């Protein structure tokens, strides 16, 4: 599964588990408006570490979190290179 | 078998907790810098008695940057982590006004920063797995005073504050977070106390004695067990009534 598909499938899976109403997914969707909260993103990061073997947040130099879904996907794609 | 990580599990209170949890049927993962003869004998006992099982993972918890990799390896080797007991700590005492800055820094690094970062990586995997238990070993020194322990006291108070807020943060994800606050227990850490001081502490305690390691280990076991499923964000004091 590509990095993009892994990220999207985790977003959908966690939304389902946490009973969150997910906004339609697109690259310019602002994560804060996605319907998921920060704990959901913590779970997504943990699951993606298991699935992809990487945690770009622990290796990143700055403390920012990606703004849009597209940013999040690119963040993982870059880290996986 | 449920996995429980115990930091500083090779001696003192940590070893007592490790022994208790292994007997209670957990797969206990003791993390410490060095394996000790006592830990080896606890592992042999665990093998023989077939209750739980006990594993040792060598790691220096002051190496904060290595913690993410440690948790990744633990999950890979042992599977989902049910419990985390943040027990490892250093206990330098000394008058603040002349305590070396490097000692102050090490106290904060080992007793506060390291358990917080370790918890960060463990708690999110607990959330992803649907729940878990965290027990932070604080100390009565976190809420009562003792001359010569101001920095140690600060780090232990920090664990109590950490416990309360984290409990609120992760409660809805099925993770319970509590602290145990032991009074003075006879371990290597408290060996510097003179007999006179020890007797004075016992005299001032409601039960006229000091708690022992097993008392504290049972409290930790309780906070990991089914019976405590509705307890979170609290401090369980085990001090023979010293602060009563």
């Amino acid at each position: 599964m590509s990095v993009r598909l892994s990220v999207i499938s985790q977003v959908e899976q966690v939304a389902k588990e946490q009973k969150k109403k997910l906004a339609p997914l697109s690259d310019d969707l602002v994560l804060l408006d996605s319907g998921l909260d920060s704990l959901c993103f913590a779970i997504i990061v943990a699951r993606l570490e298991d699935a992809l073997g990487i945690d770009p947040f622990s290796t990143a130099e700055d403390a920012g979190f990606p703004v849009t879904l597209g940013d999040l996907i690119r963040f993982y794609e870059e880290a996986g290179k | 078998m449920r996995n429980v990580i115990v930091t500083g599990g090779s001696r003192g209170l940590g070893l007592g907790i490790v022994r208790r949890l292994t007997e209670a049927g957990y797969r206990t993962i003791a993390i410490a810098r060095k394996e000790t003869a006592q830990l080896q004998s606890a592992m042999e006992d665990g093998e023989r008695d077939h209750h739980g099982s006990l594993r040792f993972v060598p790691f220096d918890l002051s190496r904060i940057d290595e913690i993410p990799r440690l948790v990744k390896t633990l999950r890979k080797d042992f599977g989902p982590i049910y419990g985390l007991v943040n027990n490892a700590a250093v206990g330098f005492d000394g008058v603040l006004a002349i305590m070396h800055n490097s000692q102050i820094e090490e106290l904060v690094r080992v007793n506060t920063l390291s358990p917080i970062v370790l918890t960060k990586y463990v708690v999110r995997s607990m959330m992803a797995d649907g729940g878990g238990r965290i027990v932070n070993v604080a100390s009565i020194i976190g809420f009562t005073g003792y001359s010569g322990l101001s920095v140690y006291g600060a780090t232990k108070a920090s664990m109590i504050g950490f416990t309360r807020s984290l409990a609120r943060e992760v409660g809805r994800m099925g993770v319970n977070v509590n602290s145990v606050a032991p009074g003075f227990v006879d371990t290597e850490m408290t060996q510097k106390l003179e007999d006179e001081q020890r007797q004075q502490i016992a005299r001032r305690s409601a039960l006229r004695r000091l708690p022992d390691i097993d008392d504290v280990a049972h409290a930790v076991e309780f906070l990991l067990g089914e019976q405590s499923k509705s307890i979170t964000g609290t401090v369980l004091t085990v001090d023979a009534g010293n602060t009563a």
Side-chain angles (χ1 to χ4, degrees):
Chain A
M1 199 189 286
S2 72
V3 171
R4 168 174 286 273
L5 282 177
S6 298
V7 175
I8 289 173
S9 87
Q10 284 304 339
V11 167
E12 288 172 338
Q13 175 70 23
V14 171
K16 200 170 141 195
E17 285 172 14
Q18 299 298 321
K19 301 182 178 61
K20 302 283 184 192
K21 195 171 181 306
L22 202 57
L25 297 183
S26 67
D27 271 16
D28 54 6
L29 172 67
V30 173
L31 295 173
L32 283 174
D33 303 330
S34 64
L36 298 177
D37 61 18
S38 46
L39 280 186
C40 294
F41 284 106
I43 295 177
I44 290 167
V45 170
R47 295 258 178 87
L48 284 172
E49 186 178 7
D50 283 347
L52 305 172
I54 49 170
D55 170 18
F57 295 97
S58 288
T59 43
E61 303 233 319
D62 63 54
F65 199 89
V67 177
T68 65
L69 180 62
D71 294 341
L72 181 69
I73 292 168
R74 275 188 294 279
F75 196 46
Y76 274 92
E77 284 174 339
E78 287 297 317
K81 277 180 187 169
Chain B
M1 208 182 287
R2 281 172 157 173
N3 291 317
V4 179
I5 298 170
V6 180
T7 66
S10 65
R11 57 201 174 118
L13 188 54
L15 180 67
I17 293 169
V18 159
R19 278 186 174 277
R20 179 89 290 282
L21 298 182
T22 307
E23 257 183 62
Y26 292 102
R27 182 201 269 161
T28 315
I29 303 157
I31 297 178
R33 270 173 302 185
K34 285 186 214 133
E35 195 168 348
T36 58
Q38 300 102 300
L39 183 68
Q40 269 170 359
S41 105
M43 283 197 271
E44 283 159 19
D45 294 350
E47 294 266 314
R48 197 185 50 233
D49 300 339
H50 298 293
H51 296 296
S53 82
L54 171 53
R55 308 295 171 87
F56 170 70
V57 175
F59 186 79
D60 178 354
L61 287 151
S62 68
R63 297 177 67 176
I64 309 286
D65 292 345
E66 301 288 320
I67 289 177
R69 199 158 53 190
L70 168 74
V71 177
K72 197 173 167 180
T73 310
L74 292 174
R75 271 179 56 81
K76 192 161 79 64
D77 292 351
F78 300 106
I81 298 160
Y82 166 75
L84 168 64
V85 181
N86 281 312
N87 161 79
V90 288
F92 312 130
D93 63 338
V95 176
L96 177 67
I98 53 168
M99 187 181 252
H100 200 277
N101 289 355
S102 66
Q103 283 193 311
I104 297 174
E105 206 171 303
E106 192 179 344
L107 273 159
V108 175
R109 172 174 285 269
V110 175
N111 296 9
T112 297
L113 187 59
S114 174
I116 288 176
V117 173
L118 178 62
T119 302
K120 169 189 164 179
Y121 288 93
V122 172
V123 78
R124 69 189 202 188
S125 79
M126 287 176 175
M127 293 193 300
D129 297 332
R133 299 290 175 91
I134 296 169
V135 180
N136 295 314
V137 178
S139 164
I140 58 166
I141 306 303
F143 45 81
T144 189
Y146 204 90
S147 174
L149 290 176
S150 63
V151 184
Y152 179 79
T155 65
K156 291 303 179 181
S158 79
M159 291 318 287
I160 293 172
F162 177 60
T163 297
R164 292 197 194 284
S165 288
L166 187 66
R168 290 207 171 260
E169 195 170 301
V170 299
R172 71 180 172 84
M173 295 294 179
V175 182
N176 297 31
V177 189
N178 291 291
S179 289
V180 168
F184 287 91
V185 181
D186 271 320
T187 65
E188 277 173 57
M189 194 188 273
T190 53
Q191 256 172 11
K192 279 187 200 153
L193 283 176
E194 286 168 15
D195 266 355
E196 173 56 30
Q197 282 173 297
R198 211 176 295 251
Q199 282 164 19
Q200 193 183 54
I201 293 164
R203 241 187 351 260
R204 288 178 182 171
S205 301
L207 300 177
R208 300 290 187 272
R209 56 178 168 79
L210 301 183
D212 58 35
I213 287 178
D214 221 32
D215 294 329
V216 182
H218 274 103
V220 173
E221 183 195 354
F222 170 67
L223 290 172
L224 290 169
E226 264 313 293
Q227 304 93 322
S228 64
K229 66 180 191 310
S230 301
I231 299 177
T232 196
T234 195
V235 186
L236 179 49
T237 301
V238 185
D239 68 348
N242 185 254
T243 55

